[in-house]
Amino acid sequence: MSIDIKTTKIEPRRVTFDNVAEKLGEGKIPSRYQEVMIGVQQEEVFHYRPTWDPEHEIFDADRTAINMQDFDDLVDPRQYYYGTYVIQRSKQQEALEKNFSVVEKRGLLTALDAGLTERITKIIVPFRHAEWGANTNNLFIAAYGFGTPMPIAADFQGMDRLGNAQYITRIGLILSNNDPEILDQAKAEWLDEPMWQPLRKMLEDSFVLKDWFELHLLQNFLLDGILHPLLFQHLEGEVVNNGGAAFAMVTEFFVDWYGEATRWTDHTLKTAAGESAENKALLTEWRDKWLPEVKNAAAPLAEYIFADRSAEVMKQIADKLDTRSGKIGLE
């Protein structure tokens, strides 16, 4: 007696949901990211307009002057949804925790030169308040943005900024042997030290912006594009070159995060600029409006860190931002 075992391949009648197929085309198998991002935004059948903003629906594309045929085109090239985002950040946090443990146990930061310690204390530690501001701005984008990919990515971006602020807090506590007075001092300098006031004003001005896409350009392209290279590339390089290699161990996440976040920022701006000439002109107008103020806000910090080399460092940073502007397609 013989037994023949045969296999039968059953083709699924549908490979995805109708709202996804409408965007991608019938028969195309989407990624998990596409399935959770495409066609989810509610666009009709609202109960009533919000009493605190009766000019708009609770979800309204008119909350930005940028026009898109489909706001779901503003995708995240990293393809982060909750699962992939949490897994990636968990791995990064595990690695960074090990770095912090080594640096703290062996007192590597407290062994730094007094001049380097002072610069870190007066520049890096107060910057945690700027990171909190970036958290607030990105959560505004998440709350009022339209479509699904943009608000979700902005929400993740906001949580990252809160994490950045917490890591900066830990750096300060390591430097002070867990004396919280260093945080009180940093807050006082953020509120009263003259070199911080242009940046503090910039952030407070950004808090009252109503157009969420303009805020995206200001916070995630201009402010980050000037300040993060200044502090976590040029200042970090200065510290490392003067015997402070341990500092790079506790700021590793900031460098990796910035390189990753710029992919999302540049892709969304490029997509919006490529949608229409009107979008491109508006984004260029916003950039030209805010960029001088951002540079002026960063200039006192650069002068404190680099003294007579500050103009050269700021030019290097601005040139890289100009290069990114060109790749995005801005005038």
Side-chain angles (χ1 to χ4, degrees):
M1 176 179 175
S2 62
I3 299 175
D4 293 332
I5 300 176
K6 296 181 179 180
T7 59
T8 301
K9 184 177 181 181
I10 301 175
E11 294 289 345
R13 297 181 64 181
R14 302 173 62 192
V15 295
T16 188
F17 305 104
D18 288 343
N19 56 300
V20 180
E22 184 179 345
K23 175 80 171 175
L24 301 182
E26 285 292 340
K28 292 188 177 180
I29 301 176
S31 66
R32 181 65 60 86
Y33 174 79
Q34 290 171 323
E35 282 200 324
V36 298
M37 293 295 169
I38 293 174
V40 181
Q41 174 66 65
Q42 184 180 357
E43 299 185 35
E44 55 187 15
V45 196
F46 302 119
H47 289 283
Y48 51 82
R49 289 173 179 257
T51 56
W52 41 267
D53 186 11
E55 295 181 359
H56 297 103
E57 298 286 1
I58 191 166
F59 300 113
D60 200 323
D62 289 341
R63 282 199 170 95
T64 178
I66 293 295
N67 290 308
M68 299 289 296
Q69 185 174 355
D70 185 355
F71 277 88
D72 284 349
D73 290 339
L74 298 173
V75 296
D76 182 353
R78 303 166 299 179
Q79 299 212 354
Y80 278 163
Y81 56 92
Y82 182 79
T84 51
Y85 169 76
V86 170
I87 290 170
Q88 175 67 6
R89 290 293 179 264
S90 176
K91 292 177 181 177
Q92 290 172 311
Q93 183 179 15
E94 185 177 349
L96 192 56
E97 287 293 335
K98 291 179 180 178
N99 289 355
F100 267 97
S101 178
V102 170
V103 168
E104 192 166 11
K105 284 181 179 178
R106 301 189 180 183
L108 299 182
L109 278 188
T110 54
L112 290 178
D113 174 82
L116 295 179
T117 301
E118 183 179 1
R119 273 189 276 185
I120 295 171
T121 301
K122 287 191 171 292
I123 295 294
I124 298 297
V125 182
F127 190 69
R128 72 194 190 108
H129 295 282
E131 287 293 324
W132 171 84
N135 162 265
T136 300
N137 281 338
N138 277 286
L139 293 187
F140 179 91
I141 298 168
Y144 296 102
F146 195 74
T148 303
M150 191 72 186
I152 292 297
D155 193 30
F156 294 154
Q157 183 88 342
M159 292 298 100
D160 286 343
R161 311 314 288 270
L162 194 59
N164 287 352
Q166 291 172 337
Y167 280 129
I168 290 173
T169 300
R170 289 184 63 183
I171 291 171
L173 291 174
I174 291 174
L175 285 171
S176 65
N177 291 315
N178 289 318
D179 184 352
E181 185 180 347
I182 193 172
L183 305 181
D184 295 333
Q185 177 187 343
K187 181 180 178 180
E189 292 188 359
W190 173 257
L191 293 174
D192 300 318
E193 180 67 35
M195 73 174 172
W196 285 106
Q197 301 320 298
L199 178 57
R200 188 162 74 93
K201 180 183 182 300
M202 267 268 37
L203 275 175
E204 291 178 358
D205 288 345
S206 73
F207 290 162
V208 297
L209 275 182
K210 296 298 184 183
D211 190 305
W212 58 267
F213 208 95
E214 181 180 3
L215 182 59
H216 174 53
L217 180 139
L218 171 57
Q219 176 63 68
N220 296 317
F221 183 70
L222 296 179
L223 281 168
D224 290 353
I226 294 291
L227 293 169
H228 267 261
L230 176 64
L231 271 59
F232 299 108
Q233 292 178 20
H234 291 274
L235 173 57
E236 181 186 278
E238 186 89 352
V239 174
V240 169
N241 291 337
N242 286 277
F247 182 64
M249 294 177 66
V250 293
T251 57
E252 180 182 7
F253 175 75
F254 298 93
V255 178
D256 293 343
W257 170 84
Y258 178 72
E260 176 192 293
T262 54
R263 291 178 56 211
W264 167 64
T265 302
D266 290 1
H267 182 78
T268 50
L269 293 174
K270 184 177 182 179
T271 301
E275 179 81 4
S276 67
E278 292 77 13
N279 281 359
K280 181 178 180 179
L282 185 57
L283 289 169
T284 302
E285 178 186 332
W286 286 340
R287 182 206 55 194
D288 294 343
K289 166 187 168 185
W290 289 110
L291 182 56
E293 294 193 37
V294 174
K295 288 180 178 178
N296 289 338
L301 306 180
E303 289 170 7
Y304 176 82
I305 300 168
F306 300 105
D308 56 349
R309 292 197 299 114
S310 62
E312 175 191 347
V313 171
M314 287 295 294
K315 184 179 184 305
Q316 292 176 19
I317 295 170
D319 287 347
K320 287 187 177 181
L321 196 62
D322 285 344
T323 300
R324 286 177 61 193
S325 287
K327 290 180 179 179
I328 288 168
L330 304 187
E331 296 293 344

